[in-house]
Amino acid sequence: MSKTTPATLALSRAGIAFTLHPYDYDPEAPRTGLQAAAALGQAPEQVFKTLMTLIDGAPACVVAPSDGEVSMKKLAAVFGGKSAQMMKPAEAERLTGYKVGGVSPFGQRKAVRTVIDETAILFDQLMINAGQRGLLLAIAPEDAVKAAGAVLADVAA
């Protein structure tokens, strides 16, 4: 497994500190974020999943705790939209350059609007996908917001 991804390169270029945490990815897991948390012995609410969505047809990225659900209504409202929906996996892969299950909010092929759930500020470090299946990175919440060009908002269902 390579530990250099577009996400790790983008963070390194920006001078943002992070640590890598490889784990055994289970493609059969019903919720990969929860599986990653269990594999790494981390609290599920501290392991954040990266989801690609469409808000009024325009792409957006949402980073939220792996043990929760995202409110599409709240997500749309964050960006002044009327509706939000999940992006189709093939479209998410084409847009980000990452495989589903390994999507990172950092170093995506095309920059898109990004929101990180406000619960991120409750932690010293977040675990977020590092750009490939089976590899998370730990990063300070304020650094994640800066690196992703994100806004913090309540997007929990």
Side-chain angles (χ1 to χ4, degrees):
M1 169 189 300
S2 171
K3 292 192 175 138
T4 300
T5 67
T8 61
L9 290 172
L11 292 172
S12 294
R13 277 194 300 270
I16 294 175
F18 63 92
T19 57
L20 292 175
H21 300 270
Y23 67 96
D24 290 327
Y25 174 79
D26 179 3
E28 302 301 318
R31 295 182 66 181
T32 56
L34 294 179
Q35 185 262 325
L40 291 169
Q42 296 290 319
E45 64 272 14
Q46 195 170 355
V47 176
F48 279 56
K49 58 189 171 187
T50 306
L51 304 172
M52 297 306 295
T53 63
L54 294 169
I55 300 171
D56 296 341
C61 178
V62 60
V63 182
S66 64
D67 65 340
E69 299 293 326
V70 172
S71 164
M72 292 296 159
K73 187 174 184 173
K74 287 181 181 179
L75 176 61
V78 167
F79 295 114
K82 293 180 182 167
S83 68
Q85 66 187 46
M86 291 298 298
M87 190 179 285
K88 291 184 174 146
E91 188 178 348
E93 290 179 353
R94 200 170 33 257
L95 181 73
T96 65
Y98 297 120
K99 294 283 186 198
V100 169
V103 175
S104 178
F106 316 115
Q108 292 186 4
R109 188 174 285 155
K110 181 180 179 192
V112 299
R113 301 174 296 175
T114 302
V115 61
I116 297 176
D117 186 74
E118 66 185 5
T119 59
I121 62 172
L122 300 175
F123 305 101
D124 292 335
Q125 297 277 300
L126 306 176
M127 303 289 286
I128 300 176
N129 201 290
Q132 69 183 30
R133 296 170 178 164
L135 186 64
L136 296 185
L137 58 82
I139 186 170
E142 58 275 6
D143 287 341
V145 169
K146 177 182 168 188
V151 296
L152 280 174
D154 174 15
V155 293

